[in-house]
Amino acid sequence: MGMTISGLARSGGVNVETVRYYQRRGLIETPPRGAGVRRYGAQDVRRLGFIRSAQAAGFTLDQIGELLALDAGQDRARARELAAERIAALDGKIAELQGARRALERLARQCHASEEGPCPIITAFDREGLAAAGDARQPLG
């Protein structure tokens, strides 16, 4: 018989509006109404699972749409290109996060080293405070 959109959403761990959004984006087919209700099957559950897994790997919805359009047996080169692009973006984000971590560790050490003057952690996030103090440090983030 098939499941309703709410059943599909529940099976994928998303809400109904997310399923509808994916339909508008062309990532999930919108089945015809049968007896006034749209019914979804196992293929739709697999498709929703694919989307969620690809999102967890960091792919954008545009990239997911492209992955869905690829033929698993014929388009391996393009799939590798998309994965390589995603890996490069993740590497950039990791480097950014590592830099933020180092900066926060430095600020925490400075804060711990002295109880005098303004807290370096708070000051680092206060651009006006930095400008007023003539501090050349870059705000964190």
Side-chain angles (χ1 to χ4, degrees):
M1 173 76 131
M3 64 184 79
T4 63
I5 193 169
S6 63
L8 175 63
R10 200 171 24 260
S11 74
V14 299
N15 63 46
V16 169
E17 287 308 312
T18 299
V19 174
R20 288 189 179 125
Y21 180 69
Y22 293 162
Q23 288 174 325
R24 288 192 301 274
R25 295 286 307 255
L27 301 174
I28 294 178
E29 295 284 326
T30 303
R33 290 185 187 273
V37 178
R38 298 182 196 281
R39 295 292 177 176
Y40 298 84
Q43 182 176 348
D44 300 303
V45 173
R46 282 191 303 274
R47 173 68 62 107
L48 184 54
F50 180 98
I51 294 166
R52 303 288 289 151
S53 293
Q55 282 182 310
F59 286 99
T60 66
L61 291 181
D62 287 338
Q63 292 169 325
I64 292 169
E66 188 172 350
L67 285 169
L68 287 166
L70 295 177
D71 181 297
Q74 303 298 318
D75 296 323
R76 294 171 67 104
R78 181 60 186 143
R80 282 192 307 270
E81 288 173 18
L82 286 169
E85 290 170 12
R86 194 63 218 127
I87 290 167
L90 288 169
D91 286 344
K93 187 66 173 175
I94 289 167
E96 180 184 324
L97 289 170
Q98 287 173 333
R101 186 178 198 285
R102 284 190 302 271
L104 191 53
E105 285 176 334
R106 177 182 47 80
L107 291 169
R109 281 192 308 273
Q110 290 173 354
C111 184
H112 182 73
S114 173
E115 294 294 323
E116 301 293 319
C119 174
I121 297 169
I122 296 171
T123 304
F125 295 110
D126 181 5
R127 292 175 191 256
E128 288 181 22
L130 286 172
D135 195 333
R137 287 181 297 172
Q138 293 294 316
L140 202 62

